[in-house]
Amino acid sequence: MFEKYPMIHYEFNQQGSGIQEMTEPAEGMPENISEKLNPLAHSDYRLRGYVDVLPVFPQAEDDFFQYLHLQSFSHMYSQAGYFTSRQAVQSFLLVHTVSGNGKLEYNGTVCHLKTNDIFWIDCRQPHTYMTEGVYWEHTDIHLGGTLASLLYREFTAEGSCVMHTENPSVFLNDIFSMLDQYLSLEMHRNMRISHRIETLLVHLILEKNRSESDRFGGIGGLETLISYMHEHFREPLTLDQLSDFCGISKYHLSRQFKKSTGLPPNEYLICLRLENARTLLINTDLTVSIIAEMSGFENEAYFSRIFRSRFDVSPKQYRRQNRTAKTI
C-alpha cells in the first residue's frame, strides 16, 4: 500500500516496558526534538508482528509548532497479544483499521474496531489500543500543532472519537497527498504539509458529521428550515415550533443548526430581526415602537434593550448616526 515511500521495516516479537527515563524531557534538549521523541514516553507495550515506519525528516524549529506537522507515520501488522498503553504524550493520534480487528480503551469507553474504522485521540489522556482476535492491520499517524487541538474538539463534539468511513479511498488519497508533500523539497514545504494535514482532518470531520446531517433531512432540510425562518421571523417563533416543523427533537435541532450556521436557532432569529430593524431605522421614518413590532420583537422596551446590547447605542441614536453618515 505504501511501497513507493522510503519506509523502514521492523519485525518484532517482544515485550517492552516503555522508556521510563523519558517521562521528563532531558535538560537542554531542544523543544522540537523533545516533542518528536515524546510519543515514546510514558508507555507500556507489547510488539508482535511487523511495522513499516516513515523516517523523520528535520524541520525548521520556527515552523515546527506554527503549523500542523507530522510527528510519525507507520503501517503496522499486529498479531494477537499486541498492545500499546500510554498517557501524557504531547501528540494527537489518528489510527485507521485497514483489516482485522482492534480495540481502543479511551475516556472510560471501550470501542471494538473493524475494517475502515478510524479513531482520533488526544494522547495526553490515558489510552490503550490492541489487537483483538488474530491480527490487526492499521496505519498510525501522530500529529502536532495548535490547530490539531481545535480540529480534534470539533471531531469529538458529539462525544465519540471513533468513526466508520464509507469512503476509504478518499482517506487514503489524503494520506498519500500528505506523504508526497512531506517528502517533497518545494518552497514553503512546512506550510504545504500543514495544508495537506488540515485537508485530511477536515474531510474526516465532515464525513463524521454527515450522518447527523442526514438525520436532520440533509442540507435540503436545513435550507427549508432557514427559508421558513426568513419568511416568518416577524412571528413569535419558538424552539418547540421549529422542532415540530422539522420533526426532530429540540436538542438535535439546536446541535445540528449550530454546526451548520455557527449560531443556535434562537440567536439566528434575533439576528434576522435586528437586521430588519436596522434597515427600517435607516430607510424609514417609522417609530421605534412600530419597527420593533414589524421586526418580531414583543415590545419596544425589549427591542431597545437587545439593540443596545448588540450595537452599544439605542435605536434612535443608531438612526441619527447612520442617517448623518449617509448625507455626508
Side-chain angles (χ1 to χ4, degrees), residues 111-234:
C111 298
H112 301 278
L113 308 167
K114 59 185 184 299
T115 300
N116 289 327
D117 282 350
I118 297 170
F119 72 74
W120 180 358
I121 61 174
D122 180 349
C123 294
R124 293 171 295 187
Q125 306 303 317
H127 59 279
T128 299
Y129 50 93
M130 64 192 74
T131 300
E132 188 167 62
V134 178
Y135 79 99
W136 181 32
E137 182 186 5
H138 52 102
T139 56
D140 296 23
I141 306 172
H142 277 280
L143 303 169
T146 302
L147 185 57
S149 180
L150 298 175
L151 293 173
Y152 167 78
R153 288 202 292 271
E154 184 65 30
F155 183 82
T156 57
E158 305 302 326
S160 173
C161 66
V162 180
M163 64 170 284
H164 179 78
T165 178
E166 298 293 345
N167 300 294
S169 60
V170 174
F171 177 73
L172 288 173
N173 286 337
D174 282 342
I175 290 180
F176 296 148
S177 178
M178 175 188 71
L179 296 179
D180 289 341
Q181 192 62 67
Y182 186 75
L183 295 170
S184 77
L185 294 176
E186 295 178 300
M187 291 183 62
H188 307 297
R189 173 175 174 270
N190 292 327
M191 187 185 301
R192 293 170 183 266
I193 294 170
S194 180
H195 174 66
R196 296 293 190 276
I197 295 173
E198 183 178 356
T199 298
L200 165 67
L201 300 181
V202 169
H203 281 170
L204 288 179
I205 292 168
L206 293 177
E207 184 179 356
K208 185 169 183 281
N209 289 337
R210 191 168 294 127
S211 61
E212 292 280 338
S213 176
D214 290 342
R215 290 201 295 274
F216 186 87
I219 296 301
L222 177 62
E223 290 176 347
T224 299
L225 174 62
I226 289 179
S227 294
Y228 178 82
M229 294 169 71
H230 278 254
E231 292 174 9
H232 298 272
F233 70 86
R234 298 173 182 85

Side-chain angles (χ1 to χ4, degrees), residues 1 5 9 11 18 40 51 54 83 96 124 141 151 166 182 189 211 217 229 235 237 242-243 249 271 320:
M1 185 183 304
Y5 300 106
H9 184 77
E11 296 183 6
L40 301 174
V51 61
L54 189 73
F83 77 89
H96 171 226
R124 293 171 295 187
I141 306 172
L151 293 173
E166 298 293 345
Y182 186 75
R189 173 175 174 270
S211 61
M229 294 169 71
E235 302 170 16
L237 295 178
L242 297 177
S243 174
S249 70
C271 290
R320 286 197 299 269

Side-chain angles (χ1 to χ4, degrees), residues 55-68:
V56 174
F57 293 86
Q59 299 183 57
E61 282 190 47
D62 291 344
D63 289 346
F64 193 71
F65 297 98
Q66 182 178 356
Y67 300 114
L68 286 167

